[in-house]
Amino acid sequence: MKTIKILLAVAYTALLLVMGYATFLAQANGQQYASEHVYAAPWFFGLWALLSALSLWYLWRRQLWRRTSVCLLHVSFLVILAGSALTWFTASEGLLHIRQGDTQDHYLADGRLKPLPFALTLHAFTIDYYPGSHAPADFVSTLVCQGDTVSISMNHIMQRQGYRLFQSSFDPDRQGTILSVRYDPWGTPLTYFGYALLGLSMLWVLLARGEEFRRLLRQLSQSRTVLTALLLSIAGAVSARSVPTISQEKARQAARMQIVYNDRVAPLSTLAHDFLQKVYGRSSYKGLTAEQVVYGWLSRPDAWKQEPMIKIKDARLRQQLGIKSQYASLAQLFDGDDYRLMPLIEANGNRPDKAMQELDEKVGLIVMLTEGQLIVPRPADVAPLSEAKVSAEILYNTIPFSKLLFMACLTLGFITFFLMLYRSSHSKSGTQLASHHSPLTSFLLTLLTLFHLAGYCLRWYVSGRIPLGNGYETMIFMALVILFITLVLHRRFAFILPFGLMLAGFTLLVSHLSQMNPQITHLMPVLSSPLLTSHVSIIMMAYALLAFMMLNGIYALILIAMGRSGDIETLTLLSRAMLYPAVFFLATGIFLGALWANVSWGRYWSWDPKEVWALITLMVYAVAFHRQSIPQLRRPAVFHAYLVIAFLAVLMTYFGVNYFLGGMHSYA
């Protein structure tokens, strides 16, 4: 038995290391190279087969069939792996190219033509655009197959006689289409059956009376907690200065003018706020609104080019340009007609670094504005926004939801955290979790949560879709989930309050300061799927719970180091209880993503870096369940340290892949 455990641990660890290494291999040499040398290599398949065989043997020796729900959970993963193996051995995929009016009954796979049991004739290929813009809303191929007229578009596939056809690409002249062809009659159904078993078994594990999750909840139900808090109010003021522009009343009227911006109809207010935020880094300039700034540049560019409002963050670039302040005027960047940044770009081999590129973009925006290229009026044949939507978008632009929230959350979070540490160090009983609870704490937390919810719903209403389409939106959704979890649990577990506030605050701070795009835009056609919404929202809920467990672990390790063991048992129980929904949410999100991928481009798993790291994260956290097999995890210090270290996999999955590895998910 001991030998099997060692072999299992070795195979499991080897898979994690190999998959992680393969993602960097793909980044260095291309996805095709990584696929040929790792993912599609026989030895990689053999490693999975070895792990599956060892798992089956271990489950049998442990007599796991006596715990039906847990046994079914493990079997479901084996069924999914079996389905993947069938896909690997029996599936066929390729591309089919048809020109308009032509008929095709073969597709290209693995360098050779393979027959289709039916013929396809292309009637037309069209691109649907969002109203008033050149942003594609969908790509549609209209074909005739066996006398039937069928349409293939993004997230709308054709299925016939075991073959599935997807919209892949098109010819530059739009007279031809390229379709992906997928034939997998055995592997996909078996894998889907495994997904169904997984969902059933996870629910069973959560609801079964005799399983650990219900026992943990009963133990936690006996805990009592309280916490008091203090909130600092933050206010700011700006100084005004006289510069030529329109009055505030005219600016309010101009803000409602409807234009085409970011390939959608929007009020001028949105463009003005984005312009000022990009160029100046703030939402107002010396007491003037964003609309006043834009109209000032339009009406009197000769005066405004003297205004020091172009933010140059890089000190080295400022030194090269001979600019002492952090803000430069447009006039300072030109010597007559000579653009002072151009010699620096040329000296860099015509490859501007990040600082040069950012400054050049800001100058370009100003030039486009003054030359009349930035503001595009709404065409007469495009339906206008309702007055309610215009008002809602202007309100959303006016209130800096993320900025206010991250400042308030971090302030309150740090105050309550240090109060908690103070109580822990001065508590005679060593039990900080049984302190007095202040109603003010709940009120402030409820206020912050409702404020964030209002901002999120406002963005939802303005965009006309659930805000989960880019990195910025997933971050603000994650912060919302964290605040809701904190609101639900903080009365019972006092340490949840500072953890939740700090975590939500840092999440919003990252979204505010990073390069994530806060602008409201249309979704890419492939992202217009309800499966995407479910996939992203469930994954974000999992990440929120895993982040709570990480902070809980840090706090537990601090208490252990201080010798304050009174609360360790409660902290451990909470993390063990959170582990179940967190990992189950993660598993559900991953496999919902697989369903979406199968509908969108015909493959439920493509070994994209984000997919691989999500699987690594799932496998890393799954280890924490096996306290019976890994005795070291029964020690609170080891258990909490493991959860803290495991969170690095989450950070790599969400941030590391986006910024270092890329792939199909780099937009997220």
Side-chain angles (χ1 to χ4, degrees):
M1 195 69 171
K2 185 177 179 180
T3 303
I4 296 175
K5 286 174 61 175
I6 294 173
L7 290 175
L8 258 175
V10 170
Y12 201 86
T13 305
L15 266 174
L16 292 175
L17 294 175
V18 166
M19 288 190 294
Y21 169 74
T23 60
F24 289 94
L25 193 68
Q27 196 275 336
N29 300 288
Q31 187 68 21
Q32 184 64 31
Y33 182 88
S35 179
E36 291 175 358
H37 290 81
V38 180
Y39 302 131
W43 64 265
F44 187 67
F45 178 85
L47 191 56
W48 277 108
L50 174 63
L51 181 65
S52 301
L54 290 171
S55 299
L56 269 175
W57 181 251
Y58 188 72
L59 296 178
W60 179 263
R61 292 293 302 272
R62 290 293 302 269
Q63 299 182 349
L64 200 64
W65 66 82
R66 298 179 184 274
R67 299 170 60 192
T68 310
S69 58
V70 177
C71 182
L72 186 64
L73 179 67
H74 288 80
V75 168
S76 67
F77 284 107
L78 295 175
V79 171
I80 292 169
L81 288 175
S84 302
L86 273 177
T87 295
W88 196 67
F89 280 113
T90 64
S92 173
E93 62 178 325
L95 296 174
L96 187 152
H97 180 211
I98 321 178
R99 296 285 293 176
Q100 187 168 325
D102 290 348
T103 301
Q104 185 61 266
D105 59 0
H106 286 74
Y107 68 100
L108 184 66
D110 299 326
R112 57 191 181 92
L113 288 175
K114 290 188 175 182
L116 285 170
F118 49 83
L120 293 168
T121 302
L122 180 63
H123 176 70
F125 173 80
T126 56
I127 301 178
D128 295 338
Y129 294 97
Y130 287 106
S133 75
H134 297 289
D138 208 349
F139 306 98
V140 184
S141 296
T142 305
L143 306 108
V144 177
C145 179
Q146 297 176 330
D148 299 328
T149 300
V150 295
S151 292
I152 301 176
S153 59
M154 305 306 296
N155 296 312
H156 185 264
I157 67 175
M158 170 185 167
Q159 299 187 68
R160 189 157 299 206
Q161 300 182 38
Y163 287 85
R164 307 169 77 229
L165 287 86
F166 309 80
Q167 184 64 49
S168 177
S169 185
F170 57 92
D171 292 343
D173 61 2
R174 302 185 187 180
Q175 298 299 304
T177 188
I178 300 174
L179 305 175
S180 294
V181 181
R182 182 79 170 171
Y183 182 69
D184 185 17
W186 310 109
T188 297
L190 184 59
T191 302
Y192 277 22
F193 178 66
Y195 294 166
L197 281 181
L198 177 66
L200 174 63
S201 61
M202 288 191 300
L203 281 175
W204 197 344
V205 167
L206 292 176
L207 299 176
R209 289 182 178 275
E211 287 303 330
E212 185 183 33
F213 183 66
R214 292 289 294 272
R215 291 199 301 269
L216 290 170
L217 291 183
R218 285 193 294 269
Q219 289 176 275
L220 285 169
S221 66
Q222 302 169 3
S223 300
R224 299 250 195 265
T225 79
V226 218
L227 199 58
T228 53
L230 178 63
L231 180 65
L232 296 179
S233 54
I234 302 171
V238 292
S239 58
R241 174 183 162 185
S242 178
V243 282
T245 186
I246 58 177
S247 66
Q248 287 192 357
E249 178 59 33
K250 289 184 177 180
R252 281 192 289 269
Q253 296 174 8
R256 304 185 71 85
M257 186 180 81
Q258 297 187 28
I259 62 172
V260 176
Y261 177 60
N262 276 337
D263 291 317
R264 68 182 185 93
V265 178
L268 178 70
S269 167
T270 301
L271 179 147
H273 278 79
D274 287 350
F275 172 84
L276 188 57
Q277 192 69 42
K278 176 74 174 179
V279 174
Y280 187 55
R282 300 181 185 179
S283 56
S284 65
Y285 177 71
K286 297 181 178 178
L288 300 175
T289 66
E291 293 82 9
Q292 288 178 300
V293 171
V294 165
Y295 269 86
W297 274 105
L298 286 172
S299 60
R300 290 289 305 277
D302 57 319
W304 276 83
K305 70 180 182 180
Q306 305 297 332
E307 289 296 313
M309 63 172 299
I310 304 174
K311 187 173 184 178
I312 307 177
K313 293 183 287 186
D314 189 81
R316 180 171 172 270
L317 180 58
R318 293 199 301 268
Q319 185 180 13
Q320 289 175 316
L321 292 169
I323 296 172
K324 297 180 180 180
S325 171
Q326 192 178 16
Y327 295 92
S329 66
L330 187 65
Q332 288 179 290
L333 298 175
F334 284 87
D335 286 330
D337 293 331
D338 295 332
Y339 184 30
R340 296 182 59 203
L341 188 62
M342 189 54 64
L344 299 180
I345 295 175
E346 292 173 350
N348 208 45
N350 285 320
R351 290 184 294 182
D353 59 25
K354 184 178 179 180
M356 295 178 189
Q357 188 173 346
E358 285 183 356
L359 178 58
D360 189 53
E361 288 175 356
K362 294 175 182 181
V363 173
L365 276 176
I366 294 174
V367 171
M368 289 176 65
L369 176 64
T370 55
E371 292 183 355
Q373 300 173 10
L374 193 60
I375 299 177
V376 180
R378 176 184 59 83
D381 59 344
V382 175
L385 297 174
S386 67
E387 288 299 310
K389 274 212 166 183
V390 171
S391 298
E393 187 156 350
I394 291 175
L395 178 63
Y396 183 80
N397 294 333
T398 304
I399 302 174
F401 286 97
S402 294
K403 183 178 181 180
L404 293 175
L405 278 164
F406 90 70
M407 290 192 298
C409 287
L410 287 180
T411 301
L412 182 57
F414 278 115
I415 289 174
T416 53
F417 179 71
F418 287 116
L419 280 174
M420 182 176 66
L421 288 182
Y422 176 81
R423 288 193 181 124
S424 295
S425 61
H426 289 76
S427 173
K428 294 181 180 180
S429 63
T431 305
Q432 184 272 335
L433 300 184
S435 55
H436 176 67
H437 184 272
S438 168
L440 177 62
T441 303
S442 295
F443 173 74
L444 293 174
L445 178 59
T446 303
L447 197 64
L448 289 173
T449 305
L450 291 176
F451 183 68
H452 191 14
L453 179 62
Y456 191 80
C457 290
L458 195 58
R459 187 180 180 95
W460 189 341
Y461 175 68
V462 168
S463 63
R465 58 175 177 81
I466 300 178
L468 289 171
N470 54 45
Y472 175 80
E473 291 177 344
T474 59
M475 290 293 280
I476 61 175
F477 177 78
M478 182 175 175
L480 183 60
V481 171
I482 292 169
L483 286 175
F484 268 115
I485 294 173
T486 306
L487 190 61
V488 171
L489 297 179
H490 82 283
R491 288 180 179 273
R492 186 173 298 277
F493 306 104
F495 53 88
I496 289 292
L497 180 69
F499 292 173
L501 288 168
M502 288 192 296
L503 190 58
F506 279 122
T507 302
L508 291 165
L509 177 62
V510 169
S511 67
H512 180 74
L513 296 179
S514 71
Q515 297 301 313
M516 295 179 180
N517 186 6
Q519 299 172 356
I520 298 173
T521 59
H522 290 302
L523 286 177
M524 295 159 43
V526 73
L527 301 182
S528 299
S529 169
L531 283 172
L532 167 68
T533 302
S534 302
H535 160 65
V536 175
S537 59
I538 291 175
I539 288 282
M540 289 297 106
M541 286 189 284
Y543 288 169
L545 289 170
L546 296 175
F548 268 114
M549 290 158 52
M550 179 269 295
L551 289 175
N552 188 23
I554 292 175
Y555 182 47
L557 293 174
I558 291 174
L559 292 182
I560 291 172
M562 294 169 60
R564 312 294 292 188
S565 59
D567 297 327
I568 302 301
E569 182 180 356
T570 303
L571 294 171
T572 305
L573 287 174
L574 182 64
S575 283
R576 286 171 56 195
M578 280 187 171
L579 188 64
Y580 282 87
V583 174
F584 288 177
F585 274 145
L586 183 58
T588 302
I590 289 173
F591 294 121
L592 279 175
L595 294 178
W596 170 48
N598 205 28
V599 169
S600 297
W601 48 75
R603 300 183 68 181
Y604 57 84
W605 197 262
S606 59
W607 297 107
D608 180 75
K610 177 92 60 170
E611 295 174 352
V612 174
W613 274 100
L615 179 59
I616 290 173
T617 302
L618 179 65
M619 294 175 66
V620 166
Y621 276 98
V623 172
F625 283 115
H626 298 82
R627 297 170 67 249
Q628 298 301 319
S629 302
I630 308 174
Q632 292 83 353
L633 289 175
R634 301 174 199 169
R635 297 168 53 194
V638 175
F639 177 71
H640 288 293
Y642 183 84
L643 293 182
V644 172
I645 296 171
F647 194 71
L648 294 175
V650 176
L651 295 177
M652 183 63 195
T653 303
Y654 192 78
F655 294 106
V657 171
N658 291 350
Y659 293 109
F660 302 118
L661 299 179
M664 292 186 295
H665 291 76
S666 58
Y667 54 79

